Amino acid sequence: MNNYMSIRFKSVSENEALARASIASFVSSMNPSIEDLADIKTSISEAVTNCIVHGYDGGVGMVEMSAYTEGKKLTVKITDKGKGIHNIEQAREPLFTSKPEAERSGMGFTIMESFMDNIKVISQVGKGTTVIMSKVLTQKMECDDAG
């Protein structure tokens, strides 16, 4: 493991920005491409939003985000201690939402899966959910100042 970080925050919507900024700062030393950084931040937003909207079902609890690097690989783990997911396979289906009345798109896991290299979901009803995502970063190209 090259580097590690961990933060805990309340499951309130304004902390989605905190999670995005924290992961962006953490991966900055890896010199990520703009595309990789956008993919990671979007995936973090989706996972944290799931904790807020679905995990705690309108209530407030804690969300923990930890991340570590190994070479060019970033792994992020986001955990809540909320209500858990009854059927993980169904929850990962595109357009599935447990909150259709709230006009949710049901694309959170699909977005995470398309932007990250690997995603694992661990959940136990009544105990919470953990999403583990990883991505091998491509280094951004250095600008050529000769021109």
Side-chain angles (χ1 to χ4, degrees):
M1 183 179 341
N2 297 61
N3 200 2
Y4 175 83
M5 60 87 64
S6 177
I7 62 171
R8 287 175 40 112
F9 49 88
K10 283 178 120 178
S11 63
V12 293
S13 61
E14 57 263 34
N15 283 338
E16 178 197 343
L18 171 67
R20 287 172 59 93
S22 296
I23 201 65
S25 293
F26 182 72
V27 300
S28 66
S29 66
M30 298 175 74
N31 197 27
S33 68
I34 298 295
E35 294 82 11
D36 281 351
L37 186 58
D39 289 352
I40 292 163
K41 288 169 60 177
T42 299
S43 298
I44 295 305
S45 289
E46 293 296 332
V48 170
T49 297
N50 278 353
C51 295
I52 295 166
V53 172
H54 301 288
Y56 291 110
D57 205 14
V60 177
M62 296 301 291
V63 177
E64 182 171 342
M65 180 174 77
S66 61
Y68 65 92
T69 60
E70 292 179 299
K72 294 180 182 181
K73 182 179 179 183
L74 169 71
T75 301
V76 182
K77 182 167 108 173
I78 297 177
T79 301
D80 68 58
K81 301 290 184 197
K83 67 180 191 176
I85 301 171
H86 291 281
N87 184 333
I88 294 171
E89 290 175 20
Q90 183 182 41
R92 290 178 76 159
E93 290 176 10
L95 304 177
F96 174 81
T97 180
S98 63
K99 298 214 176 269
E101 70 283 356
E103 298 184 24
R104 308 300 305 173
S105 70
M107 295 297 290
F109 283 124
T110 302
I111 291 168
M112 288 180 249
E113 289 170 345
S114 66
F115 287 163
M116 301 298 278
D117 295 333
N118 193 316
I119 176 173
K120 182 177 182 180
V121 181
I122 304 162
S123 189
Q124 189 173 7
V125 174
K127 301 215 180 214
T129 301
T130 297
V131 175
I132 303 168
M133 302 177 279
S134 64
K135 184 172 189 75
V136 176
L137 304 183
T138 55
Q139 304 268 283
K140 66 182 173 185
M141 303 302 289
E142 297 297 326
C143 294
D144 182 7
D145 293 334

